[in-house]
Amino acid sequence: MFLAFPQQFVWGTSTAAAQVETAGQHPWHGMSALDGYRFERTTDHELRRAQDAENIKKLGNIYRCGVDWSRLQPEPMAKFDPAVVAEYRTFFQQLAEGRVRLMLVLHHFCHPNWFEAMGAWTKEENIPFFVNYTQQCIKHFGEFAAYWNTFNEPNVYAMNAYMLGNFPPFKKGRYFTANRVLDNMGKAHEIASLLIHEKFKDAPIGISLNTAVFRGLNFPGKLVAAFVDWWFLSRAARPFVKCDFWGISYYAYMLFDPFPIDAISRLEKLKRLAIPHDRMWGYLPEGLGIMLHRFYKKYKKPILITENGICTDDSEVRIESLKSYLKVCHQAIEEGVDLQGYIHWSTWDNFEWHLGPTYRFGLIRVDFETMERTFTPAAEFYSRVTRENGFDL
Ligand code: BGC
């Protein structure tokens, strides 16, 4: 049976500048990841833009990515470095020539060291620095952006940076700070949206919100799951409701018994309980359908899946997972959800933040010694799906 998607459905892939470019002057630079790699040279994207653009073109008609704020603006409020602007513009031009549209992400877990030193998103008075950066992004890159994501997963950022201590500045248990961070990002989102729409009034703007299914394995676990569900999916979304679409990412099925809050370190437990999982989380493709319905019912706005994928080394497993997820998407559309696009994470293997590059999500495999790229069978499969606008189940 061929599962055909709507004619205007958008297909693509995504990366984030910090995860694929050699690290600029940002807080991740130099960090040692769990797998032993140092956050420095990531995938040499800045040296391989033409080759990467060719690969991106084979994987749909949209590419979601960002720029490295720290490379563009080494000092607060400075004019963007013209050489870095030219580098990005050439790349975006290459994509445009291949009829690949851009979803431009302004903030993806990363900002310059000088912004971090000022207290980053914990302080409302820092918002003007982001606004200045946004204005220059609009000026230099706006013509290429078909869609905008002001923030990538503010919920994941606030949780990891201020509650779990996994992301810079590695603070733990600062619940109220995390909420303040969300609210400041929300204010920045609203200002950025006005500025973008002043210049590009039809460009859809949204954030990407991470979604996950949280379940308790016992009574106390259920209480924790209910709280995390509320915080992660409702409280964290609230500052961003002024958007044209919801960008939704989905990967994880999180179980609580009642701890830990972060299931990543508990693969042993998932194994013991015989719960399907990838290298990072519990695996439940139907959960994506639950999230799509929930967000559509609540906000009645178009949805784009801005990220979805699986952490594995095995290309065949990735293909099976793609099929399962796309089947869920197809069904949600049939049931009336206004789902307009699917963007897979990630285009090629990249530096998985505090865990390191060997936590692979790429359709394209990267050899981290030579940086050589290989189109995997999963990339062939996905490329076909994007060309045929559907697939044989
Ligand atoms: C993030 C990506 C990350 C991916 C896989 C998302 O939460 O936006 O940067 O690599 O998940 O963990």
Side-chain angles (χ1 to χ4, degrees):
M1 191 174 70
F2 188 80
L3 290 189
F5 280 73
Q7 215 153 42
Q8 301 305 320
F9 199 76
V10 171
W11 295 101
T13 61
S14 177
T15 62
Q19 291 177 273
V20 295
E21 293 179 16
T22 299
Q25 297 307 309
H26 60 65
W28 290 91
H29 191 157
M31 216 192 93
S32 290
L34 189 72
D35 67 5
Y37 278 79
R38 224 173 105 86
F39 207 121
E40 195 149 41
R41 183 181 181 198
T42 60
T43 74
D44 280 3
H45 176 44
E46 73 283 4
L47 305 176
R48 291 173 173 258
R49 291 204 184 266
Q51 182 197 8
D52 289 337
E54 285 313 306
N55 281 331
I56 291 164
K57 287 180 203 166
K58 295 181 189 147
L59 299 170
N61 55 14
I62 193 159
Y63 178 58
R64 175 177 176 270
C65 69
V67 290
D68 184 338
W69 179 4
S70 77
R71 290 179 62 217
L72 284 160
Q73 203 172 31
E75 309 274 337
M77 302 288 185
K79 268 201 165 166
F80 276 10
D81 181 328
V84 185
V85 169
E87 180 189 317
Y88 283 120
R89 283 187 57 92
T90 307
F91 176 59
F92 296 156
Q93 189 64 46
Q94 271 163 354
L95 294 177
E97 280 159 14
R99 279 189 295 211
V100 176
R101 293 177 298 165
L102 202 66
M103 181 183 284
L104 191 61
V105 186
L106 292 174
H107 186 275
H108 193 135
F109 302 166
C110 196
H111 38 244
N113 283 332
W114 56 258
F115 189 74
E116 186 72 35
M118 289 172 175
W121 298 102
T122 63
K123 295 198 178 142
E124 188 171 352
E125 58 266 34
N126 291 343
I127 294 174
F129 296 100
F130 177 77
V131 171
N132 177 277
Y133 156 73
T134 300
Q135 283 168 315
Q136 296 194 61
C137 284
I138 296 169
K139 178 174 163 208
H140 295 295
F141 313 128
E143 68 190 272
F144 298 106
Y147 295 83
W148 295 76
N149 259 189
T150 49
F151 288 93
N152 176 70
E153 301 179 347
N155 51 353
V156 169
Y157 173 75
M159 187 179 78
N160 277 293
Y162 294 97
M163 293 206 275
L164 302 178
N166 290 326
F167 290 6
F170 309 109
K171 304 285 186 219
K172 285 191 178 166
R174 311 264 175 103
Y175 175 70
F176 296 105
T177 310
N179 284 340
R180 197 163 67 241
V181 162
L182 288 171
D183 293 339
N184 286 336
M185 285 180 150
K187 286 175 193 155
H189 162 80
E190 287 192 12
I191 300 169
S193 301
L194 288 174
L195 292 170
I196 295 165
H197 274 162
E198 235 170 51
K199 192 90 195 283
F200 301 99
K201 77 176 180 2
D202 297 325
I205 306 170
I207 59 159
S208 176
L209 191 82
N210 185 261
T211 64
V213 171
F214 303 103
R215 293 271 152 79
L217 289 174
N218 50 25
F219 181 68
K222 283 186 182 142
L223 296 181
V224 179
F227 173 75
V228 177
D229 182 286
W230 168 78
W231 187 84
F232 203 74
L233 299 173
S234 299
R235 168 63 183 89
R238 204 195 296 149
F240 306 94
V241 291
K242 285 194 187 153
C243 56
D244 302 318
F245 68 94
W246 279 103
I248 278 188
S249 68
Y250 177 86
Y251 297 91
Y253 176 37
M254 299 270 190
L255 295 157
F256 299 96
D257 71 340
F259 294 108
I261 302 289
D262 174 348
I264 290 175
S265 52
R266 286 296 209 79
L267 285 189
E268 283 315 310
K269 175 116 197 190
L270 291 171
K271 251 180 234 164
R272 228 178 318 125
L273 295 171
I275 292 165
H277 58 86
D278 65 10
R279 210 179 150 204
M280 280 168 70
W281 306 289
Y283 176 72
L284 184 73
E286 307 87 89
L288 174 59
I290 298 171
M291 292 300 132
L292 290 174
H293 278 287
R294 177 161 162 179
F295 273 78
Y296 191 58
K297 193 165 160 214
K298 184 159 177 189
Y299 300 105
K300 292 274 175 299
K301 286 195 182 180
I303 298 180
L304 276 104
I305 293 171
T306 37
E307 284 185 29
N308 168 242
I310 181 166
C311 185
T312 179
D313 281 349
D314 187 331
S315 188
E316 293 307 317
V317 170
R318 201 177 307 288
I319 293 175
E320 283 316 305
S321 154
L322 263 165
K323 286 183 181 166
S324 306
Y325 277 123
L326 294 180
K327 195 173 141 212
V328 167
C329 293
H330 189 267
Q331 191 181 336
I333 295 169
E334 292 213 310
E335 289 163 352
V337 174
D338 185 8
L339 174 62
Q340 302 192 346
Y342 176 87
I343 299 177
H344 190 76
W345 183 273
S346 53
T347 322
W348 60 93
D349 295 326
N350 55 52
F351 207 105
E352 181 53 33
W353 305 113
H354 58 300
L355 303 177
T358 58
Y359 287 74
R360 294 175 188 272
F361 284 87
L363 291 168
I364 292 162
R365 190 177 171 89
V366 176
D367 175 324
F368 290 108
E369 299 313 313
T370 63
M371 297 299 169
E372 205 180 302
R373 276 72 163 145
T374 311
F375 223 67
T376 64
E380 300 289 356
F381 169 78
Y382 187 64
S383 173
R384 205 168 338 110
V385 173
T386 66
R387 275 180 276 123
E388 296 177 356
N389 199 27
F391 67 105
D392 259 313
L393 198 58

